[in-house]
Amino acid sequence: LVFTEEDKYGLYSNLLFKYFLAEGIVCGHELFVASAKEHPDNILKELPAPLLDDTHGEKLGDEAAAVKSEDFQDSMKIAWRYQNLPKIEASPTTYTKFGHYYDVSKKMPSELLQSIKWHSFYLHEELSSQPKMKACNMNSAYMRLLQSLQRIISQGGFDGTDPQKKPKNILRIGIQSLGSLLWGDDICCSETPEDAHSLTKFLYVLRGLLRKSLSACIITVPAHLIQNKAIMERVTNLSDMVVGLESFIGSERETNPLYKDYHGLVHVHQIPRLNSLICDVSDTKDLAFRLKRKLFTIERLHLPPDLSDGVSRASKQELAGSAKLLSSGCGAMAIGKKHLDF
Amino acid sequence: QGKFTLLRDTRTDGSFLVHHFLSFYLRAGCKVCFVALLQSFSHYNIVAQKLGVNLTAAKERGQLVFLEGLKSCLDLLFGEEEEQPGQPSPLQFLSESPFDLRALFDFVRVSLSATDSDSWKGPVLLVDDLTVLLSLGATPVAVLDFIHYCRVHVCSQLKGNIVVLVHSNEDLEDEENELVVNSLCHHSDLILWAEGLATGFCKDVHGQMKIIKRLSLQQVGEQDLVQVYQYKIQERNVTFFARGLSAAVL
């Protein structure tokens, strides 16, 4: 089941989602893909192809795998992204050892796809079997998804219950457009939904499943459709990492000269604070993304240099105004945003 | 003795306070019943080790009773049919009525009973975090009832302490949440309120802490004492300082 959280049109969140899955394939993890919108087979066919560097391609893979297995020993993350946003393939200069790069214009070769084991959950194809879970007032679609997940986790030996299972691997779970109408949940439709707790209950149980097993999960949620702010807060509370994607398509920011190099903004609302008192907070919170022909990058947002001589006072003020809006919106410390103050 | 402390956070994560109280009470030799709804045991264990306390050892010698909410929930929903009769899951309300947190209270009552008072100094109930119960479908009244019963049992009868963490954010129109939080505020003896800075994110000052000592509850005519500090969280420690006097500024 694939859930995509889209910024509005779901373009970029879909991309991010695919990156997550593609990374799983390249690292040899198992995949579980769930969706109510597109058939998972189609999604998997559309994954971007990895850019394999000849000089240190293999070394890259080994190191990436090593780093990942350390990370995931007993910590699992629910990366919940709403709106489009590319994943953290940020600055290509440093940190090249973590993760892989992908070429968005090419598709993942099918041999790579065949090399790993993957499971899919397409809501409309699932038989309405009697769930073995005890009833708990949750949306039946969610219940079925949870049940399927739990079954895969215990059968695949991801939760360590069966010591005879083969060497531990990681299960990457991707769930697209959770909370949307396609799942039978009405929180996206009205401000006072009838069943306000299904999603939060689902997330709680999912969190439990993730904590108990070697898995990582990305969920996309059409947050712009959810009108009830309380639910968003509760969902944030139940997630480890929350990232929002805001694309400029169709909004007034598209033509704003501040943003001409970028396609959208990344809002990092929460980062995981696991196994430690502190969390790894980066210096800046202003991130933007852009989709070039081949690469999807997230970068620190910086203003383009103000080179024009004959810019009228009015437009400069406008820029200053939007810069302030940006800072307050992201709640950021304005590093590198030494824009003129009017 | 017999105090109810409320930990409240707004726009930031107040769980460092939970870790502090957990290691504080364990080191003091109290018997602790920890209802951990949001994180796994290993998370608390690892942080507690950094603070100098071993949770596994505490559990083994009976000083710590740990309810891992996430695990309980999974056991309840995916567990086998044959449960031990007479030992219902503490999170029973998930599959039964959301109006009744009695099973959870029974768990607390059994964990902190009068017979322990010989070996440990005073019982303590620690909850992280209470507002998750609302996300799981419990009604605000049920949550308040649960706390009330706990207070009667732990604070009045056993003269122990209770420390509860809640999340709140007044801008978000979460009425159920605000109802629970406000009600608890009125009944608390001490409120520790961690807030994110109003001016936004800052690297050196992670937030602001308001300490409210509810003296008005003890004596008529007394005013509550409010103190405000700012803090920065580090690997093993949290430093507090007066507003505006962070180490980065001085």
Side-chain angles (χ1 to χ4, degrees), chain B residues 141-160:
Chain B
V141 175
V143 174
L144 290 172
D145 281 344
F146 163 71
I147 287 291
H148 177 75
Y149 273 81
C150 288
R151 282 194 77 168
V152 168
H153 179 71
V154 177
C155 295
S156 306
Q157 286 173 358
L158 300 178
K159 300 282 177 275

Side-chain angles (χ1 to χ4, degrees), chain B residues 159-243:
Chain B
K159 300 282 177 275
N161 293 336
I162 299 185
V163 179
V164 169
L165 174 70
V166 290
H167 288 298
S168 83
N169 193 333
E170 284 137 0
D171 310 326
L172 292 178
E173 303 152 6
D174 188 347
E175 287 171 8
E176 287 185 351
N177 200 325
E178 290 315 303
L179 177 66
V180 171
V181 173
N182 285 332
S183 176
L184 289 176
C185 276
H186 285 305
H187 292 124
S188 310
D189 296 303
L190 176 66
I191 303 176
L192 298 177
W193 191 348
E195 285 178 285
L197 293 177
T199 43
F201 166 70
C202 170
K203 210 163 58 138
D204 295 304
V205 180
H206 289 144
Q208 169 176 292
M209 167 94 71
K210 234 190 261 194
I211 304 177
I212 306 176
K213 294 200 181 109
R214 309 279 327 280
L215 302 172
S216 55
L217 286 179
Q218 293 164 9
Q219 242 188 327
V220 174
E222 280 280 339
Q223 292 278 7
D224 289 342
L225 180 64
V226 180
Q227 291 164 312
V228 183
Y229 296 100
Q230 290 180 335
Y231 62 88
K232 176 178 173 158
I233 306 177
Q234 291 152 329
E235 178 80 14
R236 286 163 194 263
N237 199 6
V238 180
T239 43
F240 290 87
F241 39 86
R243 270 187 290 196

Side-chain angles (χ1 to χ4, degrees), chain A residues 173-238:
Chain A
I173 305 168
I175 308 182
Q176 193 181 40
S177 279
L178 197 60
S180 75
L181 201 48
L182 293 164
W183 285 93
D185 198 344
D186 64 348
I187 53 172
C188 287
C189 307
S190 72
E191 199 158 331
T192 44
E194 284 217 2
D195 183 9
H197 295 121
S198 270
L199 181 62
T200 42
K201 276 192 211 168
F202 170 82
L203 284 177
Y204 190 77
V205 181
L206 179 61
R207 191 184 169 100
L209 282 174
L210 293 179
R211 287 283 191 275
K212 206 175 85 137
S213 61
L214 291 171
S215 42
C217 176
I218 175 175
I219 303 182
T220 64
V221 178
H224 57 279
L225 294 174
I226 297 180
Q227 290 148 10
N228 189 330
K229 291 190 263 181
I231 292 186
M232 295 303 274
E233 172 78 3
R234 290 184 183 179
V235 173
T236 302
N237 208 15
L238 290 169

Side-chain angles (χ1 to χ4, degrees), chain A residues 230-269:
Chain A
I231 292 186
M232 295 303 274
E233 172 78 3
R234 290 184 183 179
V235 173
T236 302
N237 208 15
L238 290 169
S239 313
D240 293 310
M241 179 158 187
V242 177
V243 176
L245 293 172
E246 184 191 339
S247 92
F248 296 143
I249 301 175
S251 85
E252 58 187 11
R253 291 186 178 180
E254 200 168 10
T255 46
N256 191 328
L258 259 184
Y259 300 126
K260 68 172 162 55
D261 290 331
Y262 302 104
H263 289 114
L265 293 175
V266 182
H267 301 286
V268 179
H269 292 274

Side-chain angles (χ1 to χ4, degrees), chain A residues 42-58:
Chain A
N42 293 339
I43 294 165
L44 284 172
K45 289 203 193 93
E46 303 266 313
L47 297 179
L51 279 174
L52 293 170
D53 197 321
D54 284 326
T55 51
H56 57 110
E58 245 175 292

